[in-house]
Amino acid sequence: MPPRSLRELRRVGPAMRCEVLVFVSLLMIGLSGCGHTDRLASVPVGHAEKASVLDIPNARFYVDQPQAILAEANRALQREMAYNRSIGRSLPSAKYLALSGGGDDGAFGAGLLVGWTERGDRPSFKLVTGISTGALIAPFAFLGPDYDDALTAVYTGIDQTDILVKRPLIAALTDDALSDTTPLYRLISRYLDDAMISRIATEYDRGRLLLIATTNLDSARPVIWNIGALARSGHPKSQELIRRILLASASIPGAFPPVLFDVEVGGMPHQELHVDGGAVAQAFLYPPSFSLRTGASNLTRTRSAYIIRNAKLSAPPEETERRTMSIAGRAIATLIASNGVGDLYRMYTTTKRDGVAFNLAYIDTDFNEPYPGLFDRNYMNKLFAYGRAKARLGYRWHSAPPGLAS
């Protein structure tokens, strides 16, 4: 009999309830020869930067490519300046938004954004980034209040059946995940339609950026996808690619299947295996290797960053059973939650260096609704209402990460 957490596919947030993944990993040690082989060869070692996606040169970036990221930021700034000149407006202050992972706890960030709109002072963001559930929220947040109704529907009107189909245990162990996320792909496609992608392209032309992170398992590196550039490219396969990027960013390893991306290196076809961006980080603004004080980006303007952490600051306390799965899962959950706080410190340090105001929101201890199971509609509705109410009253953004001495 499999463990209860495996049968129920319990909570998949930043802590991920890692008993499921640990259980699968240990069993896979003895089943390593039974997995999938139906994929093209991965990109040769040392050629990751040469891999082309749809032959779009600025489709994506690796974090350790600061010059490529700087060049894209400078091009975005030129487009932004040109657009504002065309409407007779001076360059506005820059607002950045980072949306973290967190599974169904993304209902907090969705509610916060909707309540922020209702309060009447939600800004338009120059940059929006997302990982995992944050990647699913990001297109709605990027396009603004016009998409609040859709964002509300996604996080209050769904349940587990809209996200995944559980696989039988034996199939899961010899396949690539414990579940099939075809329902999630259909959900993404329903809302991220041609009209929405066209709107993203228009905003890209105005100098705004929408960035989504995934993890390339083959190269063990995070990848930042330039969604606006893909939307603007006009490539007939770009819309399908964008939907698959969002799916990949939310694909928790072991629980959800990875996503394969077709690429070319020197004219030869290859495939990359991508999973949740949360395998590397829970949230990001821009790589520390890139500075806003460099090049054309070194422009006098007020900048503010808003980070929405779709989770509490630490894994909730609970009694740990004295057995291998519980101990390993609990330890990994604690590690992931702690790394998420580390991401906050990284972003804080980067923004301080670049003169960007830091603002942080997260699920506080005053939300203590019991967690009934993965993607429970009632739980998500209560968390959405919690974030919405906080924002409508005027959210008290934290100006530093937790525990930082003033």
Side-chain angles (χ1 to χ4, degrees):
M1 181 70 68
R4 182 164 58 92
S5 60
L6 185 59
R7 296 202 313 271
E8 296 178 358
L9 271 177
R10 290 169 63 193
R11 183 173 198 170
V12 182
M16 286 200 255
R17 293 289 186 183
C18 293
E19 287 188 43
V20 172
L21 306 186
V22 174
F23 182 78
V24 172
S25 298
L26 291 176
L27 287 179
M28 281 299 183
I29 293 174
L31 296 171
S32 58
C34 302
H36 270 294
T37 57
D38 53 342
R39 60 164 291 188
L40 298 180
S42 61
V43 174
V45 176
H47 290 73
E49 291 84 357
K50 299 177 182 178
S52 173
V53 183
L54 301 185
D55 202 28
I56 301 172
N58 60 339
R60 62 182 189 173
F61 311 99
Y62 283 102
V63 173
D64 53 2
Q65 293 181 299
Q67 293 306 313
I69 297 172
L70 175 61
E72 179 65 14
N74 287 339
R75 288 191 293 268
L77 177 60
Q78 295 303 318
R79 294 194 303 271
E80 184 185 12
M81 295 173 69
Y83 170 69
N84 280 282
R85 283 196 302 268
S86 71
I87 61 175
R89 186 176 68 181
S90 59
L91 198 65
S93 60
K95 311 290 186 183
Y96 310 136
L97 175 66
L99 297 156
S100 85
D104 42 16
D105 278 348
F108 167 72
L112 190 71
L113 287 166
V114 171
W116 201 352
T117 296
E118 292 169 342
R119 180 173 171 82
D121 57 355
R122 175 177 160 187
S124 173
F125 296 102
K126 157 76 174 175
L127 167 70
V128 176
T129 71
I131 286 180
S132 196
T133 194
L136 303 181
I137 298 171
F140 302 103
F142 182 73
L143 293 178
D146 288 349
Y147 284 82
D148 278 1
D149 288 345
L151 179 60
T152 300
V154 169
Y155 279 89
T156 64
I158 66 165
D159 55 30
Q160 187 179 127
T161 61
D162 296 296
I163 304 298
L164 58 89
V165 176
K166 297 178 185 178
R167 290 172 173 168
L169 177 60
I170 297 302
L173 294 177
T174 57
D175 211 315
D176 57 2
L178 292 168
S179 61
D180 177 356
T181 50
T182 298
L184 176 58
Y185 177 76
R186 291 173 180 158
L187 182 69
I188 292 170
S189 301
R190 184 193 316 162
Y191 287 97
L192 198 66
D193 57 15
D194 295 353
M196 189 174 186
I197 292 174
S198 178
R199 285 282 302 273
I200 292 171
T202 297
E203 296 305 315
Y204 178 78
D205 287 341
R206 294 173 178 176
R208 300 175 64 216
L209 295 173
L210 173 60
L211 306 178
I212 301 298
T214 64
T215 301
N216 182 339
L217 277 186
D218 295 322
S219 64
R221 298 165 72 186
V223 178
I224 298 175
W225 295 87
N226 192 359
I227 303 301
L230 291 171
R232 170 46 61 206
S233 70
H235 195 287
K237 295 183 178 180
S238 62
Q239 296 177 337
E240 168 73 7
L241 175 60
I242 291 170
R243 295 173 186 127
R244 288 173 60 80
I245 290 167
L246 266 64
L247 180 65
S249 187
S251 295
I252 298 94
F256 296 170
V259 176
L260 284 169
F261 290 103
D262 295 324
V263 300
E264 287 191 0
V265 179
M268 297 297 295
H270 294 271
Q271 284 184 320
E272 297 175 346
L273 198 67
H274 286 240
V275 295
D276 194 334
V280 174
Q282 291 298 308
F284 75 104
L285 271 173
Y286 51 90
S289 57
F290 164 71
S291 174
L292 292 176
R293 298 186 184 277
T294 304
S297 295
N298 186 15
L299 187 69
T300 302
R301 68 192 300 191
T302 302
R303 298 183 174 96
S304 301
Y306 296 86
I307 296 92
I308 298 178
R309 176 172 164 82
N310 292 301
K312 293 185 177 180
L313 292 177
S314 60
E318 63 180 44
E319 183 176 344
T320 304
E321 297 180 39
R322 191 178 175 184
R323 58 187 181 90
T324 303
M325 296 302 109
S326 292
I327 294 169
R330 184 65 173 165
I332 296 173
T334 302
L335 173 64
I336 293 172
S338 299
N339 284 347
V341 174
D343 293 332
L344 301 180
Y345 275 83
R346 172 175 46 79
M347 288 184 283
Y348 178 77
T349 301
T350 303
T351 54
K352 280 300 185 184
R353 178 198 67 191
D354 293 344
V356 180
F358 180 91
N359 301 275
L360 169 65
Y362 53 84
I363 303 173
D364 215 333
T365 54
D366 58 343
F367 183 79
N368 49 26
E369 184 70 21
Y371 187 80
L374 184 65
F375 294 103
D376 179 84
R377 183 179 298 184
N378 183 55
Y379 171 86
M380 293 175 68
N381 272 267
K382 289 181 178 179
L383 184 54
F384 180 93
Y386 167 83
R388 183 179 188 176
K390 291 272 188 180
R392 291 179 70 176
L393 292 173
Y395 190 85
R396 297 180 62 184
W397 295 86
H398 303 267
S399 59
L404 184 68
S406 60

